[in-house]
Amino acid sequence: MTTDHAAPKPKPVRATRPRRQLIDLALQGGGSHGAFTWGVLDRLLEDERLEIAGISGTSAGAMNAVALAAGLMEGGRSGAREALRRFWTRVAQASPFHALQSGPWGELFGTDNPWLAPMQMYAQWLGQLVSPYQLNPLNLNPLRDILQTEIDFDRVRQCSKTRLFIAATQVRSGRLRVFEQSELTADMVLASACLPLLFQAVQIDGEPHWDGGYAGNPTLLPLITGTPADDLLLVPINPRLREATPTSASDILDRINEVTFNASLLKELRSLALLKQLIRDEGRPRSRRSAPRQPLYERVDALRVHRLDAEAELSRFGASTKLDTRWSFLQQLHGIGRRAADEWLRQNFEHLGRRSTVDLAQEFPG
């Protein structure tokens, strides 16, 4: 006699969620080349596998950071993407060359108006001869109007979705000043982006401040100690390497600009490389109940470093183009940033949470 057995019920299949990875972002400054970073952020915000724990930003990186934070509070990821687009659109509209590009001259010559380059060169030449205190005694700054109009700083200060750290340089001491998110104002972001040959120093708490690129471009320590993320993604703008030795005056000035605004970041990375090497050589010290904790030691030990750049493409643009805020140029940079981020995610997402994709020991031997 046979006995019929009921077929076992299949176990319900649980939908697997994609692995969400917590990351920090370090956003370098570089004038209008910050539109490259806009493109990078635009693509990263599309990827819901990523959660941005903190952002350290300087100059244009600081402006991208506050736009992103305000947008996150307004409308989540899509709100952040829209806030970034709105900000850079306003930057283009405030350009002194916008009328030439969009008016009758723009219709006649197209987006590559031949009058634009000579006018930009003249503006740079004039800035080297006359200080902003003489050339602009009323201290007019179109970026102030854009920040105050487009960025809701109440939302920035109250943003619970990420943490912000904004760098500026104290003029009198030359020291780094890091503004915390809870205190951020439009003037603090302007201080982070204050190029001393273009704008008067920005007064914060009675202290004059210049561009943060001189002291921290961007600074990394606040991210290492101030957020729970162990993956730090650098988004640099200024090329690290130039194969050819510059020989013309303009090329020499361009390279000086790049070296100057990379120096602080390279110094911090070298310090991280040294600390990691010491940890490997000496081993983690045995903990004692009576001994104080060493959070920085532990955080550096766990840190994984990554870099997302487009050095080959951005190196085609000289430092002088950092003043080019034509919409066509900003869109071009945005596209380069999106493609670079897309390629980086394809090649490196699986390494997040597992290992560094930047070998600091190799970059900073000894």
Side-chain angles (χ1 to χ4, degrees), residues 132-133 139 171 194 196 199-203 208-210:
Y133 295 87
N139 199 20
V171 177
C194 180
F199 304 110
Q200 296 182 24
V202 179
Q203 300 287 331
H209 290 78
W210 280 344

Side-chain angles (χ1 to χ4, degrees), residues 334-351:
H334 171 269
I336 295 172
R338 273 194 62 92
R339 291 191 297 273
D342 193 65
E343 180 65 16
W344 189 89
L345 286 168
R346 187 183 67 81
Q347 294 187 0
N348 296 289
F349 179 81
E350 64 181 18
H351 301 307

Side-chain angles (χ1 to χ4, degrees), residues 5-258:
H5 295 282
K9 294 182 180 180
K11 294 181 179 180
V13 178
R14 294 182 179 180
T16 58
R17 294 182 179 179
R19 179 170 65 97
R20 176 161 290 190
Q21 186 59 53
L22 201 62
I23 63 170
D24 284 333
L25 298 177
L27 308 182
Q28 198 173 51
S32 66
H33 291 193
F36 163 80
T37 306
W38 163 35
V40 169
L41 296 175
D42 194 40
R43 178 64 184 89
L44 295 182
L45 287 164
E46 283 184 344
D47 196 324
E48 296 191 1
R49 298 174 299 174
L50 297 174
E51 185 175 343
I52 302 171
I55 306 175
S56 177
T58 297
S59 194
M63 295 186 183
N64 278 316
V66 295
L68 184 147
L72 280 177
M73 292 299 287
E74 181 181 358
R77 292 172 182 267
S78 60
R81 294 180 63 205
E82 176 57 31
L84 284 161
R85 172 169 286 275
R86 195 166 57 237
F87 172 80
W88 285 100
T89 301
R90 283 295 309 277
V91 168
Q93 292 172 348
S95 167
F97 311 110
H98 176 69
L100 284 176
Q101 186 179 25
S102 59
W105 286 103
E107 294 179 7
L108 179 62
F109 293 106
T111 56
D112 294 325
N113 192 318
W115 290 99
L116 295 178
M119 291 182 66
Q120 288 171 326
M121 292 178 64
Y122 174 75
Q124 284 185 289
W125 172 79
L126 187 61
Q128 293 174 6
L129 293 179
V130 184
S131 91
Y133 295 87
Q134 299 167 309
L135 189 62
N136 184 14
L138 297 179
N139 199 20
L140 302 177
N141 189 337
L143 288 174
R144 176 178 281 108
D145 295 334
I146 295 172
L147 286 170
Q148 291 175 341
T149 303
E150 296 299 330
I151 308 298
D152 186 335
F153 277 88
D154 284 333
R155 283 180 172 154
V156 173
R157 290 186 289 268
Q158 297 167 9
C159 182
S160 57
K161 300 177 185 296
T162 191
R163 289 195 65 185
L164 302 186
F165 305 94
I166 304 303
T169 302
Q170 293 180 327
V171 177
R172 295 194 294 182
S173 67
R175 293 177 178 174
L176 172 69
R177 170 76 184 272
V178 179
F179 299 111
E180 298 278 349
Q181 179 174 342
S182 60
E183 62 179 339
L184 277 179
T185 64
D187 275 349
M188 291 176 182
V189 178
L190 285 174
S192 180
C194 180
L195 291 171
L197 292 178
L198 294 180
F199 304 110
Q200 296 182 24
V202 179
Q203 300 287 331
I204 306 292
D205 300 330
E207 286 286 338
H209 290 78
W210 280 344
D211 195 294
Y214 299 111
N217 193 22
T219 182
L220 307 180
L221 185 60
L223 293 175
I224 296 171
T225 60
T227 82
D230 289 329
D231 286 271
L232 173 58
L233 177 57
L234 306 173
V235 185
I237 290 176
N238 301 292
R240 292 168 295 150
L241 301 173
R242 290 283 186 183
E243 295 298 333
T245 301
T247 55
S248 70
S250 60
D251 288 345
I252 291 171
L253 289 173
D254 279 358
R255 189 55 184 155
I256 289 174
N257 178 283
E258 292 166 355

